[in-house]
């Protein structure tokens, strides 16, 4: 029997030109992390001791007082909110989602986004009441001050390309105002490079994905004050039990953090920029397509290629191109957050040089196929959106699924 999962279970390989997306496995896990995970999987360990050692690694990497590992960053959001509701009181921990006392959690309305599931749902799972602050395109100091004056158990701040950046309260201002009211701030930094910023600004907890830029296995890294981290970890005796981190998640996060500390970030950036340069060169003359370098939305040190499609001259919509690329073998997945604006993005951080060349060749080939077939503008965005939503419900775990 083959040990290749793609052959064994009839899986379609993917070239990831979209970045660190959970839906296709987030990131490549380097050999050193895999070796540590493999070693712990064949062994037994006291989980309290392991999490304590993880806390030391997290604290060193982030500048926080303490840390712990959750099963993923979404679980970490729920568990840190729960910690703000219960403290280290085991009776209250076991009672959740029933809450005694303050249960309001403030969240800027522009941060009430969907990362694959709604942010506010991750908060509500703890038994909290989500209180939107401001409007989608305007969160001002008086909006937050007014909400804080009414009382809150916690406040959450989300750093993500999904959030509305227009009139967004800066993180430092948000944290300062909350600290004036003794309200702990939880900062979701799931897909961010900056491991030290939120804690340095006074956040009570900062959450990172262990399997995005850190390139570990699925996990959520929580860094923060010792009291809040202790209460967060104790949630595994309550609702956190349903989302517990296994030994492989904890060791994977520890190994990934240690690799991040010694990583040659400049060399990694040069390699990514070479792939971006290849795309800019190879796709420059595709009819109806314009290219631009696009710096990361939240300031991470990564540059992507933005491809803007002019359907009238290209002969296809951006979403039609993305669908054709995803239908190939191997699948080619591009970043499509703004695809309704006829934009797709190529992300260099999770492709090899060979894969980057294959992506460019595939785009040229599909563009030519559309030119010949003339069917690239057949489906409108409305048609495509309906089809995508239908596809969500088409999933089947039946034994004949393939």
């Amino acid at each position: 029997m083959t040990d290749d999962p793609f052959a064994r279970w009839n899986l379609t390989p993917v070239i990831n030109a979209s970045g660190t997306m959970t839906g296709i496995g987030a990131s490549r896990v380097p050999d050193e992390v895999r070796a540590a995970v493999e070693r712990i999987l064949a062994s037994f360990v006291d989980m309290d001791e392991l999490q304590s050692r993880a806390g030391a690694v997290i604290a060193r990497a982030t500048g926080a007082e303490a840390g712990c590992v959750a099963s993923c960053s979404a679980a970490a959001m729920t568990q840190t909110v729960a910690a703000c509701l219960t403290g280290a009181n085991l009776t209250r921990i076991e009672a959740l989602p029933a809450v005694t006392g303050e249960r309001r959690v403030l969240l800027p309305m522009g941060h009430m986004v969907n990362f694959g599931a709604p942010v506010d749902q991750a908060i509500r799972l703890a038994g909290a009441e989500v209180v939107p602050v401001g409007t989608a395109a305007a969160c001002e100091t008086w909006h937050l001050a007014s909400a804080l004056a009414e009382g809150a158990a916690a406040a959450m701040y989300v750093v993500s390309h999904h959030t509305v950046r227009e009139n967004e309260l800066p993180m430092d201002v948000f944290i300062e105002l909350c600290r004036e009211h003794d309200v702990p701030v939880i900062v979701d930094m799931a897909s961010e490079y900056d491991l030290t910023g939120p804690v340095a600004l006074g956040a009570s907890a900062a959450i990172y994905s262990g399997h995005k830029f850190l390139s570990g296995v699925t996990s959520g890294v929580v860094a923060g004050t010792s009291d809040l981290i202790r209460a967060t970890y104790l949630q595994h005796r309550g609702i956190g039990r349903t989302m517990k981190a296994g030994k492989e998640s904890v060791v994977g996060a520890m190994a990934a953090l240690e690799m991040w500390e010694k990583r040659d970030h400049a060399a990694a950036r040069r390699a990514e920029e070479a792939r971006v340069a290849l795309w800019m060169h190879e796709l420059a003359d595709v009819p109806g397509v314009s290219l631009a370098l696009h710096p990361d939305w939240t300031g991470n040190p990564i540059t992507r290629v933005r491809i803007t499609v002019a359907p009238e001259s290209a002969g296809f919509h951006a979403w039609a191109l993305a669908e054709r690329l995803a239908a190939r073998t191997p699948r080619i997945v591009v970043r499509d957050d703004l695809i309704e604006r006829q934009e797709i993005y190529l992300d260099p951080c999770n492709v090899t040089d060979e894969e980057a060349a294959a992506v460019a060749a595939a785009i040229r080939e599909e563009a030519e196929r559309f030119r010949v077939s003339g069917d690239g503008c057949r489906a409108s965005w409305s048609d495509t959106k309906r089809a995508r939503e239908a596809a969500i419900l088409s999933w089947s775990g039946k034994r004949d699924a393939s």
Side-chain angles (χ1 to χ4, degrees):
M1 181 181 295
T2 178
D3 61 357
D4 179 358
F6 293 95
R8 184 173 177 180
W9 292 298
N10 192 29
L11 299 171
T12 307
V14 173
I15 294 177
N16 177 11
S18 67
T20 57
M21 302 302 179
T22 301
I24 53 174
S27 287
R28 297 182 191 275
V29 179
D31 292 343
E32 186 173 327
V33 175
R34 296 206 306 269
V37 169
E38 183 177 358
R39 176 67 180 87
I40 202 69
L41 281 173
S43 310
F44 299 95
V45 65
D46 182 281
M47 292 300 295
D48 288 338
E49 180 182 70
L50 178 60
Q51 283 274 13
S52 178
R53 302 295 186 269
V57 173
I58 294 167
R60 184 182 70 239
T62 63
E65 294 176 359
C68 66
V69 178
S71 59
C72 64
S73 53
M77 285 197 286
T78 300
Q79 289 178 232
T80 50
V81 167
C84 293
L85 302 179
T86 66
N89 186 312
L90 294 176
T91 300
R92 297 181 71 170
I93 287 170
E94 290 183 351
L96 291 181
V99 179
T100 302
E102 182 63 73
R103 58 190 290 265
R104 286 162 44 96
V105 175
L106 311 184
L107 177 68
M109 186 176 289
H111 293 192
M112 194 175 289
V113 296
N114 190 304
F115 56 87
V119 167
D120 59 297
Q121 184 180 53
I123 298 171
R124 288 185 284 107
L125 280 170
E129 174 193 354
V130 179
V131 178
V133 179
T135 64
C139 184
E140 307 291 358
T141 55
W142 60 84
H143 294 141
L144 180 57
S146 177
L148 287 165
E150 295 182 29
M156 183 169 287
Y157 191 95
V158 178
V159 180
S160 168
H161 67 282
H162 292 298
T163 62
V164 180
R165 310 304 298 278
E166 183 180 352
N167 287 321
E168 179 183 56
L169 266 184
M171 187 195 301
D172 60 340
V173 175
F174 187 90
I175 292 174
E176 181 182 345
L177 285 172
C178 289
R179 284 171 63 89
E180 289 175 2
H181 289 77
D182 294 321
V183 172
V185 176
I186 302 163
V187 181
D188 172 32
M189 297 280 286
S191 191
E192 302 303 310
Y193 273 62
D194 181 6
L195 296 184
T196 60
V199 167
L201 290 173
S204 299
I207 296 167
Y208 299 89
S209 170
H211 59 289
K212 290 187 181 291
F213 286 126
L214 288 175
S215 298
V217 297
T218 303
S219 59
V221 174
V222 191
T225 61
S226 55
D227 286 346
L228 184 56
I229 292 300
R230 180 167 173 254
T232 298
Y233 179 59
L234 287 174
Q235 299 304 317
H236 76 278
R237 296 182 175 273
I239 61 171
R241 181 70 178 179
T242 64
M243 51 189 83
K244 61 181 180 290
K247 57 190 178 184
E248 67 282 1
S249 294
V250 181
V251 166
M254 295 166 72
L257 280 167
E258 290 184 343
M259 284 197 68
W260 187 260
E261 288 179 300
K262 64 185 182 183
R263 183 188 194 217
D264 187 340
H265 291 277
R269 182 75 189 271
R270 287 193 297 271
E272 291 173 359
E273 289 177 341
R275 295 168 199 144
V276 166
L278 179 144
W279 285 330
M280 293 293 288
H281 177 266
E282 293 296 322
L283 300 174
D285 61 347
V286 176
V289 163
S290 60
L291 308 177
L293 298 179
H294 187 273
D296 184 70
W297 287 273
T298 61
N300 287 317
I302 183 170
T303 300
R304 301 178 179 90
V305 175
R306 182 179 67 215
I307 300 176
T308 304
V309 177
E312 299 81 6
S313 53
F316 57 87
H317 290 298
W319 48 86
L321 175 60
E323 286 185 354
R324 282 278 186 87
L325 293 171
R328 295 170 70 98
T329 303
R331 303 182 196 274
I332 296 176
V333 180
V334 298
R335 197 180 190 101
D336 64 353
D337 305 82
L338 299 173
I339 202 164
E340 68 275 14
R341 289 174 18 181
Q342 301 289 357
E343 295 176 4
I344 61 176
Y345 294 78
L346 303 181
D347 188 302
C349 73
N350 266 314
V351 291
T352 64
D353 294 344
E354 294 76 15
E355 288 173 337
V359 169
I363 291 174
R364 294 184 66 89
E365 182 178 320
E366 295 301 342
E368 177 61 17
R369 286 179 60 197
F370 280 127
R371 189 190 67 78
V372 173
S373 66
D375 61 354
C377 293
R378 184 172 297 167
S380 69
W381 172 240
S382 296
D383 296 332
T384 301
K385 189 167 179 62
R386 291 190 186 98
R388 288 186 172 194
E389 291 174 357
I392 293 172
L393 299 176
S394 69
W395 182 88
S396 170
K398 296 179 179 179
R399 63 181 178 182
D400 61 346
S402 61

